[in-house]
Amino acid sequence: MTTLIESHRNSILAALPSAEWNRIAPHLDLVEMPAGEALYEAAPESSCIYFPCTAIVSLLHIIKNGNTAEIAVVGNEGIVGISFSMGGETIPGRAVVQRAGYGFKLTSSALKAELNHSGQFMLLLLRYTRALITQMAQTTTCNIDHSLEQRLCRWILTSLDRQQGNELELSEDLISDILGANRQEVINAVMSLQRNGLIRYLGGHLTILKRNSLGERACGCYSAIKTEYEQLLPSSTAK
C-alpha cells in the first residue's frame, strides 16, 4: 500500500484531498526509474502514467533526421503521460528518464475512473497541462532563437528546480540529445561555463558553483517557465 508520506514526494499527489487520495492510492505502484529508461517511445500505445518523485524525465521530440530535442522536463511537480487525461491512447515523441530515482505508476483506466469524479484531481491536471504547454512552447522557441550556452543554462536550472542539491549526473551525449546539438558543440558550451567558474564538470558529474550567475546567462525562457509553474501549481517544486 502506498503511504501518504511517500506521495508527498510528488506535488500533484500531495495536493489531493483525503477522499480522492483514498480512491487513487490502492492503484498506485511505487517503481524504480533508472537513468536512460524510455517510459514511452514514439507512437506505440502505453497504458500507464507516471508521477515522478525523485526521478527527472525528459520529454523529447524526434526530428526528421532521427535526432532528438527536449521540449519539456518533468520532475516531482508533475506527471508523465498527461495526454491520457485528454482521451489520447498513444504518447507522441519519447519520454526518457534523465535522472534516476523512483515514482508512482498509475494505469490509464484508473486515471480515467478518477477523472469521472470531476474533483480536485481533474483541476490539478488541467492546471498542470497549461503549465506543461507553456514549457513546451517556451522551450521550442528557445531551441530556435537562443544560443546553445543560453539553452544549456536554462536546462541546468530547470533540472535543478526539480531536485535537491546542486549536482547533476549526465554525459555529453545525453546533453546533446536533450538540446539537439552535436557533441562537440555541447563540450564547448560546457567548457565555457567551467572556464567562467559557473560549473565544474568531470566524468559526467556536473556541480553548479554559481547558480545566480547561471540565471544571468540563461535566456528569459527560464524565468517565464518558472513563473508559470509557480502561479498554477500547488507547492510547486519548480522553485
Side-chain angles (χ1 to χ4, degrees):
M1 173 70 69
T2 304
T3 69
L4 188 58
I5 293 176
E6 288 170 333
S7 76
H8 280 208
R9 296 290 189 97
N10 180 279
S11 295
I12 301 294
L13 295 178
L16 292 177
S18 296
E20 294 183 39
W21 165 254
N22 290 335
R23 281 197 304 265
I24 200 172
H27 303 286
L28 291 170
D29 291 322
L30 186 64
V31 295
E32 292 286 339
M33 300 173 71
E37 179 181 18
L39 302 179
Y40 306 115
E41 295 286 353
E45 294 187 5
S46 179
S47 59
C48 296
I49 65 169
Y50 295 84
F51 298 84
C53 295
T54 57
I56 298 176
V57 179
S58 290
L59 305 186
L60 303 171
H61 175 68
I62 302 174
I63 306 170
K64 284 185 178 180
N65 61 9
N67 292 336
T68 60
E70 184 182 81
I71 54 174
V73 59
V74 182
N76 58 2
E77 85 294 344
I79 303 166
V80 180
I82 194 69
S83 63
F84 285 130
S85 69
M86 297 178 283
E89 297 297 334
T90 60
I91 301 294
R94 302 180 71 216
V96 178
V97 178
Q98 174 197 129
R99 179 181 184 270
Y102 71 88
F104 292 104
K105 183 169 68 173
L106 180 71
T107 64
S108 59
S109 59
L111 169 69
K112 292 171 183 176
E114 182 57 37
L115 292 179
N116 285 335
H117 291 280
S118 300
Q120 181 71 7
F121 189 41
M122 176 178 282
L123 177 60
L124 288 168
L125 290 192
L126 289 173
R127 288 186 172 184
Y128 177 71
T129 300
R130 174 178 160 179
L132 184 64
I133 289 172
T134 296
Q135 184 185 173
M136 289 178 170
Q138 200 74 51
T139 301
T140 300
T141 300
C142 185
N143 288 340
I144 296 171
D145 291 343
H146 299 138
S147 70
L148 179 58
E149 185 173 302
Q150 287 177 308
R151 288 152 49 202
L152 177 60
C153 291
R154 183 258 304 159
W155 176 77
I156 290 172
L157 292 168
T158 301
S159 296
L160 284 180
D161 285 345
R162 288 156 175 81
Q163 67 167 58
Q164 300 295 321
N166 65 338
E167 299 181 351
L168 296 170
E169 297 290 337
L170 68 169
S171 66
E172 292 96 342
D173 289 336
L174 176 60
I175 302 174
S176 177
D177 286 343
I178 288 172
L179 297 181
N182 67 54
R183 190 171 184 272
Q184 189 56 53
E185 290 175 331
V186 166
I187 292 173
N188 293 341
V190 169
M191 291 302 102
S192 174
L193 296 180
Q194 182 161 269
R195 283 194 303 271
N196 285 279
L198 278 64
I199 65 171
R200 182 171 59 249
Y201 183 76
L202 180 63
H205 186 85
L206 189 150
T207 302
I208 289 74
L209 303 176
K210 296 180 180 179
R211 182 166 180 156
N212 289 340
S213 296
L214 276 178
E216 292 170 0
R217 290 213 175 197
C219 52
C221 297
Y222 168 66
S223 59
I225 293 169
K226 179 180 176 182
T227 298
E228 186 77 358
Y229 274 77
E230 288 176 338
Q231 290 177 344
L232 290 172
L233 300 179
S235 303
S236 174
T237 53
K239 307 181 195 59

